[in-house]
Amino acid sequence: MTTLILNNQNKSKFFENLDKKKQIQLEKRNRFHIYTMLDYSLSAVSYFDFFSRNAFEIVLRTKLLAQIFEKEKVSCDFLLFTFLDSNNELTTILDEYGLKKSIINKYLISSYNVSKKTLPEKIFGPIPFFAHSLLYYFNKTELDIKISFSHDMNLLFEKAAENAISRFKTPVITSEILFLTMMEDKKSKIGKLILLFLPSSLDWYLLRYKLLKIIHHQETKIRNDIKKSEKYFAYLLKTQIPEDYFTHLIDSNYFPLGILYFRAFIINRLFSCNLYQILDSDINKSIQKTSTRMYSSEI
């Protein structure tokens, strides 16, 4: 098979001049180098590394909402508002089942006893509260890195990661999986709010079924249409593009070809990187951050 790594004429000629055994050895060596580089570059350290692009942006805007309310920690009810404030297919589905932005808007204002005008003006200027989507504010301010997630939020993220890998057999935590985790935890504050805001218990079950159907459809398409050796890149692509785009891709006839192009793009980008230089840089940065010595004042 023609290598995706040897991508210029000189390397191609060099490759062709080798005997078949040497070509195989060189191909294996290049592949090992690329996948080592890929594993190192994408080494995950938290559950946020496994969020889809939509889910990650929702969480970021949730922090912004907490900043608007001048809170030190992000609570789950803020996350519910951000889901309803997004502009994607999931938001449309939630609206169809009676979960509307205006409802949670009123709840937040009354629960946290804030003014519709005064609070945002401190951060954004004279703009009426919730006159625009959070996307409007998101492009106009910097997030306060001191704002952290509440204990309930961290438990929610951990449960979503557990659901993704154990129930749905996927490494990617999509917005559907995150919302499904929220609504299924009926004993939590966020689960109770969703039950409260939905028109009836029947809508709860219908919404849950709809989300399960979307998750199952995506995973079935990946397992059936994508080769085992290319599934890694299918999931990687799922974290890099909006979920609506990914859904349209898997429903088209170009899904396997799209994953193949994405794989070639990633491999060619990685091949231009020098793993040893990256390791050297990371090691030096680690030494600088951890080598601070403490001296006693006593002699």
Side-chain angles (χ1 to χ4, degrees):
M1 183 177 68
T2 305
T3 179
L4 292 170
I5 300 172
L6 301 175
N7 55 355
N8 59 49
Q9 292 184 355
N10 293 332
K11 289 181 179 179
S12 297
K13 290 180 180 179
F14 173 75
F15 188 82
E16 291 172 358
N17 291 332
L18 297 175
D19 58 67
K20 188 173 182 179
K21 185 177 180 180
K22 290 289 185 180
Q23 288 181 8
I24 295 174
Q25 290 177 347
L26 182 60
E27 178 75 11
K28 288 182 177 180
R29 181 178 179 180
N30 285 334
R31 287 178 181 272
F32 177 78
H33 173 78
I34 287 300
Y35 283 106
T36 301
M37 170 72 78
L38 187 61
D39 289 338
Y40 183 80
S41 302
L42 299 176
S43 56
V45 295
S46 73
Y47 32 65
F48 297 113
D49 295 308
F50 297 93
F51 276 30
S52 67
R53 178 171 172 175
N54 284 38
F56 190 76
E57 289 178 351
I58 285 172
V59 170
L60 283 181
R61 294 201 298 275
T62 303
K63 272 200 169 187
L64 174 60
L65 185 59
Q67 182 175 334
I68 293 175
F69 277 84
E70 298 182 335
K71 299 296 179 181
E72 295 181 357
K73 291 186 178 294
V74 183
S75 61
C76 290
D77 45 5
F78 291 154
L79 183 60
L80 178 57
F81 176 86
T82 312
F83 264 101
L84 302 178
D85 184 62
S86 303
N87 184 22
N88 51 44
E89 291 183 0
L90 177 58
T91 309
T92 304
I93 293 172
L94 297 178
D95 186 79
E96 289 175 359
Y97 286 93
L99 287 174
K100 300 182 181 297
K101 174 183 172 181
S102 57
I103 299 175
I104 187 66
N105 181 2
K106 294 178 181 178
Y107 165 80
L108 290 176
I109 292 174
S110 60
S111 298
Y112 292 96
N113 192 25
V114 297
S115 167
K116 292 185 177 181
K117 294 184 178 180
T118 306
L119 193 55
E121 289 181 358
K122 296 179 181 179
I123 305 175
F124 307 108
I127 303 174
F129 196 34
F130 294 137
H132 301 279
S133 168
L134 277 176
L135 289 170
Y136 178 88
Y137 298 117
F138 192 72
N139 296 324
K140 290 182 172 292
T141 188
E142 293 184 4
L143 289 176
D144 187 353
I145 59 174
K146 295 180 181 179
I147 298 176
S148 59
F149 293 105
S150 66
H151 179 65
D152 290 343
M153 284 282 284
N154 283 308
L155 289 179
L156 173 66
F157 294 149
E158 290 177 8
K159 183 62 178 177
E162 182 182 340
N163 280 337
I165 197 67
S166 61
R167 285 177 63 184
F168 305 115
K169 312 302 180 185
T170 174
V172 181
I173 304 171
T174 63
S175 57
E176 289 86 4
I177 292 177
L178 184 57
F179 194 88
L180 185 67
T181 305
M182 291 164 54
M183 66 183 298
E184 286 184 338
D185 191 2
K186 295 182 180 180
K187 294 183 179 180
S188 67
K189 179 181 179 181
I190 190 65
K192 291 177 181 178
L193 282 176
I194 293 174
L195 275 172
L196 176 64
F197 295 144
L198 283 171
S200 67
S201 59
L202 178 61
D203 289 302
W204 188 93
Y205 286 103
L206 290 174
L207 175 57
R208 179 177 178 271
Y209 173 75
K210 183 75 172 182
L211 297 179
L212 287 171
K213 188 175 179 181
I214 293 173
I215 297 168
H216 177 73
H217 174 66
Q218 292 182 354
E219 291 306 308
T220 301
K221 293 290 287 185
I222 292 176
R223 292 171 192 173
N224 293 341
D225 296 354
I226 304 301
K227 296 179 181 178
K228 185 177 180 179
S229 60
E230 296 168 4
K231 287 181 181 179
Y232 184 100
F233 296 93
Y235 287 121
L236 181 58
L237 178 61
K238 197 173 182 180
T239 65
Q240 300 300 308
I241 62 175
E243 291 172 9
D244 295 353
Y245 292 178
F246 189 80
T247 300
H248 293 320
L249 178 62
I250 64 175
D251 289 333
S252 70
N253 296 325
Y254 302 102
F255 184 37
L257 184 61
I259 299 302
L260 204 59
Y261 273 114
F262 179 70
R263 175 179 178 270
F265 171 77
I266 292 295
I267 287 178
N268 285 321
R269 286 287 299 271
L270 286 173
F271 193 72
S272 63
C273 300
N274 189 317
L275 178 60
Y276 303 106
Q277 288 182 357
I278 296 174
L279 285 171
D280 182 69
S281 175
D282 289 348
I283 291 171
N284 287 330
K285 289 178 181 178
S286 177
I287 292 173
Q288 291 175 4
K289 291 182 177 180
T290 60
S291 63
T292 303
R293 295 185 179 183
M294 301 296 293
Y295 294 93
S296 174
S297 58
E298 299 180 1
I299 300 177

